[in-house]
Amino acid sequence: MGDTLELSERTLAETVAAQGGRLYRVGGCVRDALRGLPAKDIDFCVTGMVKKNFKELFPEAKECGKSFPVFLLTVDGVKCEVAFARTERKVGPGYLGFKVSSKPKVTIEEDLFRRDTTINSMAMDCLSGAIIDPYGGREDIERGILRATSEHFSEDPIRALRLAGQAARLGFTVEPRTLALAATVAEELKDEPVERMLAELTKALSEAAEPARFFRVLDEAHLLPVTFGELAALGRGERERALQLLDATATQTSSLKVRFASFGLTLPQEELEKWNKRMTLPGDWLEGAITVGQLAKLLAQPDAETIVTALIRLGRGAIEAADFDCIAKAGALSIPELAGLKAVMQQAVRAEVLPPQLRGREIGVWLRERQVKAIACALEA
């Protein structure tokens, strides 16, 4: 089939069926549909076909899988993944230690069996609309429970982080047996690429209404020391404060860097730098968290001078005054709202006329005096 006409899901499914195969929607899009939510991404799975036939039928499909067939194909105007049903057998350590089979005889039930949790182990037949749910995913959605599809859950150690991420994003509880399975991956998880951990952290911070749940599930599974040891090193009380601050900040902003920056109130700068050295955090995350910690100390007893210093620092850094206000509010810090004071300071300076005789450092001193005076008046009002 050429790419001159837009390919619809129905046409894709009918073409696959005409060759003896079957097309299914799988994974998160099925889960979200059953929860009454729009799908963020639509992933397809093909059974009963070989790769060669698929490529002949859809030459515009771009193959991207290495160990098993996966194609990128535009369906109904949206770029989607089309994977061939497969089974996996653990033969070595880590996420690369699997022997994969994607033969036409692999059934959709077998493909679903290799997935992580039951709510992700469902499929929808693209022709009939029938839901294939061999492992009780629909019931677990209704109960708000995350349950491993099988004992194979622990074969990929990063699934423990995905489990924690699902709990945070969906607000579901983890059933005890699945939590116990997650706990068994501690040793293998130590050797996982930190990029995979950072990817799961990013999703939890950006998509979860209560991102602290991500860390709490890891803590319950005794995995926090091998994933985010900087938080694990805090005393339990201080760690709980850090997580409460994170959730409180998340109620006010969806910004990843601001949510992460809330850790600056509880994690010392050396611990933040150690975290960055181990995982290479995005630069604005690290700078924002360090800035928050430093300015919180500076503003412990806020006066006009320290507020001006803080506002100048915020104007040059990774986070804005309004960002700092979000975190200060979440932490119940006794600090005036800096965004409003910033506007006062800027307006006061604009209203003044710079004396023409001033040069060099004199200009800076003149500006500073007026900034401090404007803030002092605002604080007294």
mmCIF file with all atom_site columns, all heavy atoms in Angstrom, residues 311-335:
data_model
loop_
_atom_site.group_PDB
_atom_site.id
_atom_site.type_symbol
_atom_site.label_atom_id
_atom_site.label_alt_id
_atom_site.label_comp_id
_atom_site.label_asym_id
_atom_site.label_entity_id
_atom_site.label_seq_id
_atom_site.pdbx_PDB_ins_code
_atom_site.Cartn_x
_atom_site.Cartn_y
_atom_site.Cartn_z
_atom_site.occupancy
_atom_site.B_iso_or_equiv
_atom_site.pdbx_formal_charge
_atom_site.auth_seq_id
_atom_site.auth_comp_id
_atom_site.auth_asym_id
_atom_site.auth_atom_id
_atom_site.pdbx_PDB_model_num
ATOM 1   N N   . LEU A 1 311 ? 16.182 38.335 44.653 1.00 0.00 ? 311 LEU A N   1
ATOM 2   C CA  . LEU A 1 311 ? 15.509 38.623 43.385 1.00 0.00 ? 311 LEU A CA  1
ATOM 3   C C   . LEU A 1 311 ? 16.504 38.743 42.240 1.00 0.00 ? 311 LEU A C   1
ATOM 4   O O   . LEU A 1 311 ? 16.233 38.291 41.121 1.00 0.00 ? 311 LEU A O   1
ATOM 5   C CB  . LEU A 1 311 ? 14.680 39.901 43.517 1.00 0.00 ? 311 LEU A CB  1
ATOM 6   C CG  . LEU A 1 311 ? 13.395 39.779 44.348 1.00 0.00 ? 311 LEU A CG  1
ATOM 7   C CD1 . LEU A 1 311 ? 12.774 41.144 44.576 1.00 0.00 ? 311 LEU A CD1 1
ATOM 8   C CD2 . LEU A 1 311 ? 12.403 38.858 43.646 1.00 0.00 ? 311 LEU A CD2 1
ATOM 9   N N   . ILE A 1 312 ? 17.641 39.351 42.500 1.00 0.00 ? 312 ILE A N   1
ATOM 10  C CA  . ILE A 1 312 ? 18.674 39.452 41.462 1.00 0.00 ? 312 ILE A CA  1
ATOM 11  C C   . ILE A 1 312 ? 19.183 38.058 41.097 1.00 0.00 ? 312 ILE A C   1
ATOM 12  O O   . ILE A 1 312 ? 19.358 37.733 39.918 1.00 0.00 ? 312 ILE A O   1
ATOM 13  C CB  . ILE A 1 312 ? 19.821 40.350 41.944 1.00 0.00 ? 312 ILE A CB  1
ATOM 14  C CG1 . ILE A 1 312 ? 19.327 41.807 42.072 1.00 0.00 ? 312 ILE A CG1 1
ATOM 15  C CG2 . ILE A 1 312 ? 21.011 40.268 40.992 1.00 0.00 ? 312 ILE A CG2 1
ATOM 16  C CD1 . ILE A 1 312 ? 20.317 42.752 42.715 1.00 0.00 ? 312 ILE A CD1 1
ATOM 17  N N   . ARG A 1 313 ? 19.387 37.212 42.114 1.00 0.00 ? 313 ARG A N   1
ATOM 18  C CA  . ARG A 1 313 ? 19.845 35.840 41.865 1.00 0.00 ? 313 ARG A CA  1
ATOM 19  C C   . ARG A 1 313 ? 18.798 35.070 41.045 1.00 0.00 ? 313 ARG A C   1
ATOM 20  O O   . ARG A 1 313 ? 19.141 34.349 40.098 1.00 0.00 ? 313 ARG A O   1
ATOM 21  C CB  . ARG A 1 313 ? 20.093 35.152 43.207 1.00 0.00 ? 313 ARG A CB  1
ATOM 22  C CG  . ARG A 1 313 ? 20.362 33.649 43.103 1.00 0.00 ? 313 ARG A CG  1
ATOM 23  C CD  . ARG A 1 313 ? 21.802 33.370 42.726 1.00 0.00 ? 313 ARG A CD  1
ATOM 24  N NE  . ARG A 1 313 ? 22.003 31.934 42.576 1.00 0.00 ? 313 ARG A NE  1
ATOM 25  C CZ  . ARG A 1 313 ? 22.296 31.099 43.562 1.00 0.00 ? 313 ARG A CZ  1
ATOM 26  N NH1 . ARG A 1 313 ? 22.431 31.571 44.799 1.00 0.00 ? 313 ARG A NH1 1
ATOM 27  N NH2 . ARG A 1 313 ? 22.485 29.821 43.326 1.00 0.00 ? 313 ARG A NH2 1
ATOM 28  N N   . LEU A 1 314 ? 17.540 35.199 41.392 1.00 0.00 ? 314 LEU A N   1
ATOM 29  C CA  . LEU A 1 314 ? 16.483 34.493 40.670 1.00 0.00 ? 314 LEU A CA  1
ATOM 30  C C   . LEU A 1 314 ? 16.353 34.981 39.230 1.00 0.00 ? 314 LEU A C   1
ATOM 31  O O   . LEU A 1 314 ? 16.008 34.224 38.332 1.00 0.00 ? 314 LEU A O   1
ATOM 32  C CB  . LEU A 1 314 ? 15.146 34.658 41.405 1.00 0.00 ? 314 LEU A CB  1
ATOM 33  C CG  . LEU A 1 314 ? 15.021 33.882 42.724 1.00 0.00 ? 314 LEU A CG  1
ATOM 34  C CD1 . LEU A 1 314 ? 13.811 34.357 43.515 1.00 0.00 ? 314 LEU A CD1 1
ATOM 35  C CD2 . LEU A 1 314 ? 14.925 32.389 42.447 1.00 0.00 ? 314 LEU A CD2 1
ATOM 36  N N   . GLY A 1 315 ? 16.631 36.258 39.017 1.00 0.00 ? 315 GLY A N   1
ATOM 37  C CA  . GLY A 1 315 ? 16.535 36.799 37.667 1.00 0.00 ? 315 GLY A CA  1
ATOM 38  C C   . GLY A 1 315 ? 17.592 36.268 36.730 1.00 0.00 ? 315 GLY A C   1
ATOM 39  O O   . GLY A 1 315 ? 17.467 36.376 35.511 1.00 0.00 ? 315 GLY A O   1
ATOM 40  N N   . ARG A 1 316 ? 18.634 35.664 37.286 1.00 0.00 ? 316 ARG A N   1
ATOM 41  C CA  . ARG A 1 316 ? 19.738 35.173 36.460 1.00 0.00 ? 316 ARG A CA  1
ATOM 42  C C   . ARG A 1 316 ? 19.795 33.645 36.401 1.00 0.00 ? 316 ARG A C   1
ATOM 43  O O   . ARG A 1 316 ? 20.628 33.090 35.691 1.00 0.00 ? 316 ARG A O   1
ATOM 44  C CB  . ARG A 1 316 ? 21.071 35.679 37.024 1.00 0.00 ? 316 ARG A CB  1
ATOM 45  C CG  . ARG A 1 316 ? 21.216 37.190 37.005 1.00 0.00 ? 316 ARG A CG  1
ATOM 46  C CD  . ARG A 1 316 ? 22.444 37.595 37.809 1.00 0.00 ? 316 ARG A CD  1
ATOM 47  N NE  . ARG A 1 316 ? 22.645 39.049 37.824 1.00 0.00 ? 316 ARG A NE  1
ATOM 48  C CZ  . ARG A 1 316 ? 23.492 39.682 38.624 1.00 0.00 ? 316 ARG A CZ  1
ATOM 49  N NH1 . ARG A 1 316 ? 24.237 38.967 39.473 1.00 0.00 ? 316 ARG A NH1 1
ATOM 50  N NH2 . ARG A 1 316 ? 23.616 40.989 38.583 1.00 0.00 ? 316 ARG A NH2 1
ATOM 51  N N   . GLY A 1 317 ? 18.947 32.963 37.164 1.00 0.00 ? 317 GLY A N   1
ATOM 52  C CA  . GLY A 1 317 ? 19.083 31.521 37.309 1.00 0.00 ? 317 GLY A CA  1
ATOM 53  C C   . GLY A 1 317 ? 18.039 30.706 36.580 1.00 0.00 ? 317 GLY A C   1
ATOM 54  O O   . GLY A 1 317 ? 17.340 31.193 35.690 1.00 0.00 ? 317 GLY A O   1
ATOM 55  N N   . ALA A 1 318 ? 17.930 29.449 37.017 1.00 0.00 ? 318 ALA A N   1
ATOM 56  C CA  . ALA A 1 318 ? 17.070 28.482 36.329 1.00 0.00 ? 318 ALA A CA  1
ATOM 57  C C   . ALA A 1 318 ? 15.607 28.647 36.677 1.00 0.00 ? 318 ALA A C   1
ATOM 58  O O   . ALA A 1 318 ? 14.739 28.230 35.916 1.00 0.00 ? 318 ALA A O   1
ATOM 59  C CB  . ALA A 1 318 ? 17.520 27.059 36.678 1.00 0.00 ? 318 ALA A CB  1
ATOM 60  N N   . ILE A 1 319 ? 15.329 29.226 37.836 1.00 0.00 ? 319 ILE A N   1
ATOM 61  C CA  . ILE A 1 319 ? 13.933 29.380 38.225 1.00 0.00 ? 319 ILE A CA  1
ATOM 62  C C   . ILE A 1 319 ? 13.603 30.846 38.469 1.00 0.00 ? 319 ILE A C   1
ATOM 63  O O   . ILE A 1 319 ? 14.468 31.652 38.800 1.00 0.00 ? 319 ILE A O   1
ATOM 64  C CB  . ILE A 1 319 ? 13.580 28.537 39.466 1.00 0.00 ? 319 ILE A CB  1
ATOM 65  C CG1 . ILE A 1 319 ? 14.362 28.992 40.693 1.00 0.00 ? 319 ILE A CG1 1
ATOM 66  C CG2 . ILE A 1 319 ? 13.806 27.056 39.198 1.00 0.00 ? 319 ILE A CG2 1
ATOM 67  C CD1 . ILE A 1 319 ? 13.904 28.301 41.962 1.00 0.00 ? 319 ILE A CD1 1
ATOM 68  N N   . GLU A 1 320 ? 12.335 31.158 38.310 1.00 0.00 ? 320 GLU A N   1
ATOM 69  C CA  . GLU A 1 320 ? 11.855 32.529 38.457 1.00 0.00 ? 320 GLU A CA  1
ATOM 70  C C   . GLU A 1 320 ? 11.376 32.770 39.890 1.00 0.00 ? 320 GLU A C   1
ATOM 71  O O   . GLU A 1 320 ? 11.238 31.830 40.691 1.00 0.00 ? 320 GLU A O   1
ATOM 72  C CB  . GLU A 1 320 ? 10.694 32.782 37.493 1.00 0.00 ? 320 GLU A CB  1
ATOM 73  C CG  . GLU A 1 320 ? 11.027 32.547 36.034 1.00 0.00 ? 320 GLU A CG  1
ATOM 74  C CD  . GLU A 1 320 ? 11.862 33.662 35.443 1.00 0.00 ? 320 GLU A CD  1
ATOM 75  O OE1 . GLU A 1 320 ? 11.866 34.760 36.025 1.00 0.00 ? 320 GLU A OE1 1
ATOM 76  O OE2 . GLU A 1 320 ? 12.513 33.428 34.416 1.00 0.00 ? 320 GLU A OE2 1
ATOM 77  N N   . ALA A 1 321 ? 11.088 34.040 40.188 1.00 0.00 ? 321 ALA A N   1
ATOM 78  C CA  . ALA A 1 321 ? 10.570 34.390 41.511 1.00 0.00 ? 321 ALA A CA  1
ATOM 79  C C   . ALA A 1 321 ? 9.260  33.663 41.799 1.00 0.00 ? 321 ALA A C   1
ATOM 80  O O   . ALA A 1 321 ? 9.035  33.175 42.912 1.00 0.00 ? 321 ALA A O   1
ATOM 81  C CB  . ALA A 1 321 ? 10.377 35.899 41.610 1.00 0.00 ? 321 ALA A CB  1
ATOM 82  N N   . ALA A 1 322 ? 8.391  33.556 40.782 1.00 0.00 ? 322 ALA A N   1
ATOM 83  C CA  . ALA A 1 322 ? 7.116  32.864 40.978 1.00 0.00 ? 322 ALA A CA  1
ATOM 84  C C   . ALA A 1 322 ? 7.322  31.382 41.273 1.00 0.00 ? 322 ALA A C   1
ATOM 85  O O   . ALA A 1 322 ? 6.558  30.774 42.026 1.00 0.00 ? 322 ALA A O   1
ATOM 86  C CB  . ALA A 1 322 ? 6.232  33.045 39.749 1.00 0.00 ? 322 ALA A CB  1
ATOM 87  N N   . ASP A 1 323 ? 8.369  30.786 40.678 1.00 0.00 ? 323 ASP A N   1
ATOM 88  C CA  . ASP A 1 323 ? 8.690  29.384 40.958 1.00 0.00 ? 323 ASP A CA  1
ATOM 89  C C   . ASP A 1 323 ? 9.096  29.215 42.422 1.00 0.00 ? 323 ASP A C   1
ATOM 90  O O   . ASP A 1 323 ? 8.656  28.274 43.100 1.00 0.00 ? 323 ASP A O   1
ATOM 91  C CB  . ASP A 1 323 ? 9.824  28.904 40.059 1.00 0.00 ? 323 ASP A CB  1
ATOM 92  C CG  . ASP A 1 323 ? 9.493  28.984 38.580 1.00 0.00 ? 323 ASP A CG  1
ATOM 93  O OD1 . ASP A 1 323 ? 8.307  28.861 38.240 1.00 0.00 ? 323 ASP A OD1 1
ATOM 94  O OD2 . ASP A 1 323 ? 10.419 29.167 37.777 1.00 0.00 ? 323 ASP A OD2 1
ATOM 95  N N   . PHE A 1 324 ? 9.944  30.108 42.873 1.00 0.00 ? 324 PHE A N   1
ATOM 96  C CA  . PHE A 1 324 ? 10.380 30.049 44.272 1.00 0.00 ? 324 PHE A CA  1
ATOM 97  C C   . PHE A 1 324 ? 9.194  30.235 45.205 1.00 0.00 ? 324 PHE A C   1
ATOM 98  O O   . PHE A 1 324 ? 9.096  29.566 46.240 1.00 0.00 ? 324 PHE A O   1
ATOM 99  C CB  . PHE A 1 324 ? 11.442 31.105 44.547 1.00 0.00 ? 324 PHE A CB  1
ATOM 100 C CG  . PHE A 1 324 ? 12.010 31.034 45.943 1.00 0.00 ? 324 PHE A CG  1
ATOM 101 C CD1 . PHE A 1 324 ? 13.071 30.192 46.229 1.00 0.00 ? 324 PHE A CD1 1
ATOM 102 C CD2 . PHE A 1 324 ? 11.465 31.802 46.963 1.00 0.00 ? 324 PHE A CD2 1
ATOM 103 C CE1 . PHE A 1 324 ? 13.585 30.113 47.517 1.00 0.00 ? 324 PHE A CE1 1
ATOM 104 C CE2 . PHE A 1 324 ? 11.978 31.728 48.257 1.00 0.00 ? 324 PHE A CE2 1
ATOM 105 C CZ  . PHE A 1 324 ? 13.037 30.888 48.530 1.00 0.00 ? 324 PHE A CZ  1
ATOM 106 N N   . ASP A 1 325 ? 8.267  31.121 44.839 1.00 0.00 ? 325 ASP A N   1
ATOM 107 C CA  . ASP A 1 325 ? 7.077  31.339 45.661 1.00 0.00 ? 325 ASP A CA  1
ATOM 108 C C   . ASP A 1 325 ? 6.269  30.051 45.823 1.00 0.00 ? 325 ASP A C   1
ATOM 109 O O   . ASP A 1 325 ? 5.742  29.766 46.900 1.00 0.00 ? 325 ASP A O   1
ATOM 110 C CB  . ASP A 1 325 ? 6.188  32.427 45.043 1.00 0.00 ? 325 ASP A CB  1
ATOM 111 C CG  . ASP A 1 325 ? 6.769  33.824 45.187 1.00 0.00 ? 325 ASP A CG  1
ATOM 112 O OD1 . ASP A 1 325 ? 7.610  34.026 46.091 1.00 0.00 ? 325 ASP A OD1 1
ATOM 113 O OD2 . ASP A 1 325 ? 6.391  34.704 44.406 1.00 0.00 ? 325 ASP A OD2 1
ATOM 114 N N   . CYS A 1 326 ? 6.158  29.265 44.734 1.00 0.00 ? 326 CYS A N   1
ATOM 115 C CA  . CYS A 1 326 ? 5.435  27.984 44.799 1.00 0.00 ? 326 CYS A CA  1
ATOM 116 C C   . CYS A 1 326 ? 6.046  27.074 45.858 1.00 0.00 ? 326 CYS A C   1
ATOM 117 O O   . CYS A 1 326 ? 5.329  26.475 46.673 1.00 0.00 ? 326 CYS A O   1
ATOM 118 C CB  . CYS A 1 326 ? 5.477  27.277 43.447 1.00 0.00 ? 326 CYS A CB  1
ATOM 119 S SG  . CYS A 1 326 ? 4.355  27.916 42.212 1.00 0.00 ? 326 CYS A SG  1
ATOM 120 N N   . ILE A 1 327 ? 7.364  26.972 45.836 1.00 0.00 ? 327 ILE A N   1
ATOM 121 C CA  . ILE A 1 327 ? 8.046  26.071 46.759 1.00 0.00 ? 327 ILE A CA  1
ATOM 122 C C   . ILE A 1 327 ? 7.995  26.622 48.178 1.00 0.00 ? 327 ILE A C   1
ATOM 123 O O   . ILE A 1 327 ? 7.795  25.869 49.143 1.00 0.00 ? 327 ILE A O   1
ATOM 124 C CB  . ILE A 1 327 ? 9.492  25.849 46.291 1.00 0.00 ? 327 ILE A CB  1
ATOM 125 C CG1 . ILE A 1 327 ? 9.496  25.184 44.910 1.00 0.00 ? 327 ILE A CG1 1
ATOM 126 C CG2 . ILE A 1 327 ? 10.274 25.013 47.296 1.00 0.00 ? 327 ILE A CG2 1
ATOM 127 C CD1 . ILE A 1 327 ? 10.859 25.125 44.249 1.00 0.00 ? 327 ILE A CD1 1
ATOM 128 N N   . ALA A 1 328 ? 8.171  27.932 48.324 1.00 0.00 ? 328 ALA A N   1
ATOM 129 C CA  . ALA A 1 328 ? 8.111  28.539 49.654 1.00 0.00 ? 328 ALA A CA  1
ATOM 130 C C   . ALA A 1 328 ? 6.732  28.355 50.277 1.00 0.00 ? 328 ALA A C   1
ATOM 131 O O   . ALA A 1 328 ? 6.604  28.064 51.476 1.00 0.00 ? 328 ALA A O   1
ATOM 132 C CB  . ALA A 1 328 ? 8.450  30.026 49.558 1.00 0.00 ? 328 ALA A CB  1
ATOM 133 N N   . LYS A 1 329 ? 5.695  28.468 49.461 1.00 0.00 ? 329 LYS A N   1
ATOM 134 C CA  . LYS A 1 329 ? 4.333  28.247 49.955 1.00 0.00 ? 329 LYS A CA  1
ATOM 135 C C   . LYS A 1 329 ? 4.135  26.797 50.358 1.00 0.00 ? 329 LYS A C   1
ATOM 136 O O   . LYS A 1 329 ? 3.540  26.500 51.398 1.00 0.00 ? 329 LYS A O   1
ATOM 137 C CB  . LYS A 1 329 ? 3.326  28.643 48.876 1.00 0.00 ? 329 LYS A CB  1
ATOM 138 C CG  . LYS A 1 329 ? 1.875  28.503 49.303 1.00 0.00 ? 329 LYS A CG  1
ATOM 139 C CD  . LYS A 1 329 ? 0.928  28.938 48.198 1.00 0.00 ? 329 LYS A CD  1
ATOM 140 C CE  . LYS A 1 329 ? -0.528 28.771 48.630 1.00 0.00 ? 329 LYS A CE  1
ATOM 141 N NZ  . LYS A 1 329 ? -1.463 29.170 47.533 1.00 0.00 ? 329 LYS A NZ  1
ATOM 142 N N   . ALA A 1 330 ? 4.643  25.876 49.525 1.00 0.00 ? 330 ALA A N   1
ATOM 143 C CA  . ALA A 1 330 ? 4.527  24.457 49.841 1.00 0.00 ? 330 ALA A CA  1
ATOM 144 C C   . ALA A 1 330 ? 5.231  24.121 51.152 1.00 0.00 ? 330 ALA A C   1
ATOM 145 O O   . ALA A 1 330 ? 4.763  23.281 51.922 1.00 0.00 ? 330 ALA A O   1
ATOM 146 C CB  . ALA A 1 330 ? 5.113  23.625 48.702 1.00 0.00 ? 330 ALA A CB  1
ATOM 147 N N   . GLY A 1 331 ? 6.354  24.777 51.402 1.00 0.00 ? 331 GLY A N   1
ATOM 148 C CA  . GLY A 1 331 ? 7.117  24.536 52.621 1.00 0.00 ? 331 GLY A CA  1
ATOM 149 C C   . GLY A 1 331 ? 6.708  25.393 53.793 1.00 0.00 ? 331 GLY A C   1
ATOM 150 O O   . GLY A 1 331 ? 7.339  25.326 54.854 1.00 0.00 ? 331 GLY A O   1
ATOM 151 N N   . ALA A 1 332 ? 5.663  26.206 53.615 1.00 0.00 ? 332 ALA A N   1
ATOM 152 C CA  . ALA A 1 332 ? 5.163  27.099 54.671 1.00 0.00 ? 332 ALA A CA  1
ATOM 153 C C   . ALA A 1 332 ? 6.280  27.979 55.229 1.00 0.00 ? 332 ALA A C   1
ATOM 154 O O   . ALA A 1 332 ? 6.381  28.198 56.443 1.00 0.00 ? 332 ALA A O   1
ATOM 155 C CB  . ALA A 1 332 ? 4.498  26.282 55.784 1.00 0.00 ? 332 ALA A CB  1
ATOM 156 N N   . LEU A 1 333 ? 7.141  28.488 54.323 1.00 0.00 ? 333 LEU A N   1
ATOM 157 C CA  . LEU A 1 333 ? 8.230  29.366 54.736 1.00 0.00 ? 333 LEU A CA  1
ATOM 158 C C   . LEU A 1 333 ? 7.703  30.776 54.976 1.00 0.00 ? 333 LEU A C   1
ATOM 159 O O   . LEU A 1 333 ? 6.835  31.268 54.247 1.00 0.00 ? 333 LEU A O   1
ATOM 160 C CB  . LEU A 1 333 ? 9.322  29.404 53.661 1.00 0.00 ? 333 LEU A CB  1
ATOM 161 C CG  . LEU A 1 333 ? 9.940  28.058 53.248 1.00 0.00 ? 333 LEU A CG  1
ATOM 162 C CD1 . LEU A 1 333 ? 11.051 28.290 52.231 1.00 0.00 ? 333 LEU A CD1 1
ATOM 163 C CD2 . LEU A 1 333 ? 10.462 27.293 54.453 1.00 0.00 ? 333 LEU A CD2 1
ATOM 164 N N   . SER A 1 334 ? 8.225  31.430 55.989 1.00 0.00 ? 334 SER A N   1
ATOM 165 C CA  . SER A 1 334 ? 7.790  32.800 56.318 1.00 0.00 ? 334 SER A CA  1
ATOM 166 C C   . SER A 1 334 ? 8.551  33.800 55.459 1.00 0.00 ? 334 SER A C   1
ATOM 167 O O   . SER A 1 334 ? 9.395  34.577 55.949 1.00 0.00 ? 334 SER A O   1
ATOM 168 C CB  . SER A 1 334 ? 8.011  33.068 57.810 1.00 0.00 ? 334 SER A CB  1
ATOM 169 O OG  . SER A 1 334 ? 7.259  32.178 58.598 1.00 0.00 ? 334 SER A OG  1
ATOM 170 N N   . ILE A 1 335 ? 8.242  33.772 54.164 1.00 0.00 ? 335 ILE A N   1
ATOM 171 C CA  . ILE A 1 335 ? 8.916  34.635 53.196 1.00 0.00 ? 335 ILE A CA  1
ATOM 172 C C   . ILE A 1 335 ? 7.852  35.378 52.396 1.00 0.00 ? 335 ILE A C   1
ATOM 173 O O   . ILE A 1 335 ? 6.904  34.753 51.912 1.00 0.00 ? 335 ILE A O   1
ATOM 174 C CB  . ILE A 1 335 ? 9.804  33.802 52.247 1.00 0.00 ? 335 ILE A CB  1
ATOM 175 C CG1 . ILE A 1 335 ? 10.929 33.110 53.035 1.00 0.00 ? 335 ILE A CG1 1
ATOM 176 C CG2 . ILE A 1 335 ? 10.399 34.676 51.144 1.00 0.00 ? 335 ILE A CG2 1
ATOM 177 C CD1 . ILE A 1 335 ? 11.757 32.154 52.201 1.00 0.00 ? 335 ILE A CD1 1
#
